[in-house]
């Protein structure tokens, strides 16, 4: 099994995906263990002094004015975990919880938190055992960290609350730890707070969304090319010299992908033989510009994620010179903004995709295709309601594009009076990504059928490879009306698993 070694310098997006989705094992590097011990020594020295230090010998948040005596500090750390484990609503996905815990471990291992090495090792042991704390949908405002979600994870380390075992059964966390030979931690000064103060949930969801969107943007380039082909459109608009004079890199990449898919097509430009069109509709002609803008937004989001992966987010933090200082680095604004940006881009990509699908189904705009791509229009309805479903998904995408990060709501007796709502931005982006895959799947279903209805014309080799692969995956081609939901579900699975991209790349080589 793949092993990820966590050191002091952060982790990569690939590491997060390997742990969250691939079940990779985790090891702590020697330098991480040394840094943990050194930082802990600083915290222990401060704890022995009479002067109050936030998070070490004081209360938290609006209660930070109270000095906590030494005999109450272990109770203080337990209490912050218990009281902050106040999430509600449905459980979040296992991969999200694993990413959340792994990213908190990443910060702990930076040597800036003051957590003991044995606590970090227990975090790794829980992940390696396949134990997943029960974390709920609601409880984070994206400031002072993803507090409730991280608290539910810390509760499991203490042997309290509920968690899911590797067999998928939810049991008391204490039972699961005992079954795997893991001793619950007894938290000491600052450790409870250090386990809760991070942007880890929103960052983990950002990294997974970027991975999924990378596949979906390539998929959208492919389906846009298929639709252009089915509509007998002109691929001249994809010429690299046209995109070079507006040098957005995402636009150039999308245009190059579409051109690669369409290479050798016997359909593109065919309309010029008998019914010349000066230019195609925006949804076809401007596909690279819209998808390209989304790609550039992803590039910016990836840069933010890379910076956050290298960060040590905690409050207070242990600095190399031995100071322990309060700060505001837990504020999720940088991550929250890009999560919202991506939801906007996903909504627009879904919108232009749906417009192309509608054009394929409308006999007045499809340049000779049967109404709704039906076998016997009137007797058959064809893909009429498949487009309804796609339209409903796009409408939902537009609602999900409303930014969460613009909606700060104060908390903690006005101590935490401006928050990022980054967790909420991440949760809605996950829904948007799921819906975008479905929208692209409907275009794939319509475009492949439409191409097959262009009898006597030969599609591009890459297009034919896609048609062959999607039919082999159980998505049926043209014919009389049938139960459509299974076909659409199969097309959706084909897209989100990356099979659409893989099929095209058997001809085109790696797409950009």
């Amino acid at each position: 099994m793949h092993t990820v070694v966590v050191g002091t310098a952060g982790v990569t997006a690939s590491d997060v995906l390997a742990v969250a989705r691939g079940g990779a094992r985790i090891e702590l590097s020697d330098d991480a263990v040394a840094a943990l011990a050194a930082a802990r020594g600083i915290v222990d020295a401060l704890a022995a002094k009479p002067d109050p230090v936030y998070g070490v010998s004081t209360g938290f948040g609006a209660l930070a004015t109270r000095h906590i005596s030494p005999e109450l500090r272990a109770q203080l750390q337990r209490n912050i975990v218990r009281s902050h484990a106040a999430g509600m609503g449905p459980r979040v996905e296992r991969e999200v919880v694993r990413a959340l815990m792994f990213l908190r471990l990443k910060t702990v291992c930076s040597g800036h938190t003051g957590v003991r090495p044995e606590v970090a090792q227990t975090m790794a042991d829980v992940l390696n055992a396949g134990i997943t704390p029960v974390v709920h949908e609601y409880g984070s405002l994206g400031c002072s960290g993803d507090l409730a979600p991280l608290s539910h994870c810390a509760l499991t380390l203490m042997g309290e609350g509920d968690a899911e075992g590797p067999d998928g059964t939810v049991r008391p966390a204490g039972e699961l730890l005992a079954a795997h030979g893991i001793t619950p931690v007894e938290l000491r000064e600052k450790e409870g707070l250090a386990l809760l103060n991070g942007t880890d949930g929103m960052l983990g969801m950002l990294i997974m969304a970027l991975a999924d969107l990378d596949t979906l943007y390539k998929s959208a380039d492919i389906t846009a090319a298929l639709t252009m082909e089915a509509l007998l459109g002109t691929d001249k608009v994809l010429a690299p010299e046209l995109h070079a004079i507006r040098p957005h890199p995402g636009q150039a990449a999308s245009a190059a992908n579409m051109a690669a898919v369409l290479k050798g097509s016997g359909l593109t430009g065919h309309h010029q033989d008998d019914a010349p069109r000066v230019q195609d509709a925006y949804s076809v002609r401007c596909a690279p510009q819209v998808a390209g803008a989304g790609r550039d937004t992803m590039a910016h989001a990836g840069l933010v994620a890379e910076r956050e992966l290298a960060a040590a987010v905690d409050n207070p933090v242990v600095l190399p010179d031995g100071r322990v200082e309060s700060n505001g680095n837990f504020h999720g604004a940088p991550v929250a903004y890009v999560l919202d940006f991506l939801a906007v881009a996903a909504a627009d990509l879904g919108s232009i995709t749906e417009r192309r699908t509608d054009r394929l189904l409308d006999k007045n705009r499809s340049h000779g295709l049967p109404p709704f791509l039906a076998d016997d229009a009137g007797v058959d309805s064809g893909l009429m309601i498949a487009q309804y479903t796609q339209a409903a998904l796009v409408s939902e995408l537009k609602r999900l594009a409303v930014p969460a990060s613009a909606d700060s709501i104060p908390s903690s007796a006005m101590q935490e009076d401006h928050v990022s709502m980054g967790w909420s931005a991440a949760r809605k982006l996950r829904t948007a990504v799921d819906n975008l895959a479905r929208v692209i799947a409907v275009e794939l279903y319509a475009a492949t059928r439409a191409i097959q209805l262009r009898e006597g014309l030969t599609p591009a080799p890459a297009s034919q490879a896609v048609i062959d692969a999607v039919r082999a995956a159980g998505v049926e081609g043209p014919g009389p009306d049938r139960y459509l939901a299974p076909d659409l579900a199969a097309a959706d699975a084909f897209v989100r698993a990356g099979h659409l991209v893989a099929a095209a790349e058997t001809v085109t080589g790696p797409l950009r």
Side-chain angles (χ1 to χ4, degrees):
M1 181 180 291
H2 179 59
T3 298
V4 172
V5 179
V6 182
T8 58
V11 296
T12 67
S14 295
D15 292 334
V16 177
L17 294 170
V19 172
R21 291 179 166 174
R25 292 188 60 79
I26 300 161
E27 292 181 3
L28 308 185
S29 71
D30 291 342
D31 68 317
V33 174
L36 284 159
R40 185 64 207 179
I42 293 170
V43 170
D44 285 342
L46 288 171
K49 294 181 178 181
D51 301 326
V53 178
Y54 177 69
V56 176
S57 53
T58 71
F60 307 111
L63 302 176
T65 54
R66 178 176 172 182
H67 183 259
I68 308 298
S69 59
E71 68 274 11
L72 293 176
R73 291 176 188 170
Q75 181 181 341
L76 171 70
Q77 300 301 321
R78 288 194 301 271
N79 284 352
I80 190 176
V81 173
R82 289 168 176 166
S83 65
H84 286 44
M88 295 181 72
R91 288 175 57 193
V92 302
E93 303 83 359
R94 182 176 185 270
E95 66 178 17
V96 172
V97 180
R98 286 184 62 82
L100 173 76
M101 288 190 69
F102 176 65
L103 287 167
R104 183 81 312 234
L105 175 60
K106 174 269 297 184
T107 284
V108 165
C109 287
S110 69
H112 292 294
T113 68
V115 169
R116 289 169 294 151
E118 51 264 45
V119 176
Q121 185 59 57
T122 301
M123 296 171 75
D125 291 343
V126 168
L127 284 164
N128 289 340
I131 296 171
T132 307
V134 170
V135 173
H136 300 280
E137 180 82 13
Y138 303 105
S140 174
L141 298 179
C143 201
S144 291
D146 289 317
L147 285 176
L150 282 163
S151 297
H152 283 277
C153 295
L155 200 64
T156 293
L157 300 178
M158 293 166 49
E160 300 182 17
D162 293 324
E164 180 186 291
D167 63 353
T169 302
V170 174
R171 296 167 56 190
E175 292 181 10
L176 283 168
L177 296 186
H180 289 85
I182 300 172
T183 302
V185 297
E186 293 283 346
L187 298 176
R188 289 170 46 180
E189 290 93 345
K190 195 185 178 299
E191 289 179 333
L193 184 61
L195 295 177
L196 314 186
N197 244 324
T199 56
D200 309 292
M202 62 183 93
L203 176 59
M205 286 185 274
L206 171 61
I207 289 166
M208 289 185 282
L210 285 169
D212 294 338
L213 287 169
D214 181 67
T215 297
L216 293 181
Y217 270 83
K218 291 176 185 176
S219 298
D221 291 341
I222 296 167
T223 58
L226 294 173
T227 295
M228 177 181 281
E229 198 168 25
L231 291 172
L232 308 179
T234 176
D235 57 358
K236 290 182 178 181
V237 296
L238 305 176
E241 58 269 25
L242 293 175
H243 299 278
I245 62 175
R246 194 190 191 196
H248 294 289
Q251 176 180 323
S254 286
N257 284 348
M258 290 181 65
V261 172
L262 292 171
K263 185 177 181 180
S265 173
L267 284 81
T268 53
H270 187 80
H271 62 84
Q272 294 170 356
D273 296 342
D274 49 18
R277 258 177 279 158
V278 175
Q279 53 191 11
D280 292 309
Y282 284 9
S283 60
V284 178
R285 186 177 9 136
C286 301
Q289 284 77 10
V290 172
R295 285 170 169 271
D296 291 341
T297 301
M298 287 172 57
H300 172 60
L303 179 60
V304 171
E306 183 179 340
R307 291 169 177 164
E308 198 76 359
L309 283 168
V313 177
D314 193 16
N315 180 47
V317 291
V318 181
L319 295 173
D321 61 7
R323 287 179 295 146
V324 176
E325 297 285 1
S326 291
N327 66 91
N329 284 343
F330 49 71
H331 199 289
V335 183
Y337 289 171
V338 295
L339 288 162
D340 280 334
F341 296 165
L342 290 172
V344 170
D348 201 34
L349 184 61
S351 179
I352 196 170
T353 300
E354 182 274 332
R355 287 293 80 203
R356 289 193 297 264
T357 304
D358 181 67
R359 186 165 288 270
L360 287 169
L361 305 188
D362 183 354
K363 70 180 182 65
N364 297 312
R365 295 180 291 141
S366 66
H367 308 287
L369 291 169
F372 303 105
L373 306 181
D375 187 63
D376 183 4
V379 174
D380 294 311
S381 295
L383 306 191
M384 179 190 295
I385 307 304
Q387 185 269 330
Y388 275 44
T389 299
Q390 190 188 43
L393 289 162
V394 169
S395 184
E396 177 72 3
L397 280 169
K398 293 174 183 177
R399 291 190 290 273
L400 292 166
V402 176
S405 58
D407 182 32
S408 174
I409 187 166
S411 60
S412 193
M414 294 300 287
Q415 176 72 4
E416 298 168 9
D417 59 351
H418 185 277
V419 296
S420 77
M421 301 307 296
W423 173 274
S424 298
R427 295 307 295 167
K428 69 184 182 63
L429 178 60
R430 280 182 71 84
T431 302
V433 170
D434 276 349
N435 283 352
L436 179 59
R438 297 181 181 106
V439 169
I440 293 170
V442 176
E443 182 179 29
L444 172 67
Y445 190 46
T448 53
R449 176 184 283 211
I451 289 172
Q452 289 186 288
L453 289 171
R454 294 290 190 188
E455 296 180 0
L457 298 176
T458 304
S463 301
Q464 189 60 57
V466 167
I467 292 169
D468 292 343
V470 78
R471 298 291 174 255
V475 182
E476 296 189 34
D481 280 356
R482 57 181 169 270
Y483 178 27
L484 277 188
D487 273 0
L488 297 177
D492 177 37
F494 186 79
V495 168
R496 68 179 66 233
H499 297 324
L500 171 57
V501 175
E505 288 182 338
T506 61
V507 176
T508 64
L511 294 172
R512 295 166 57 180

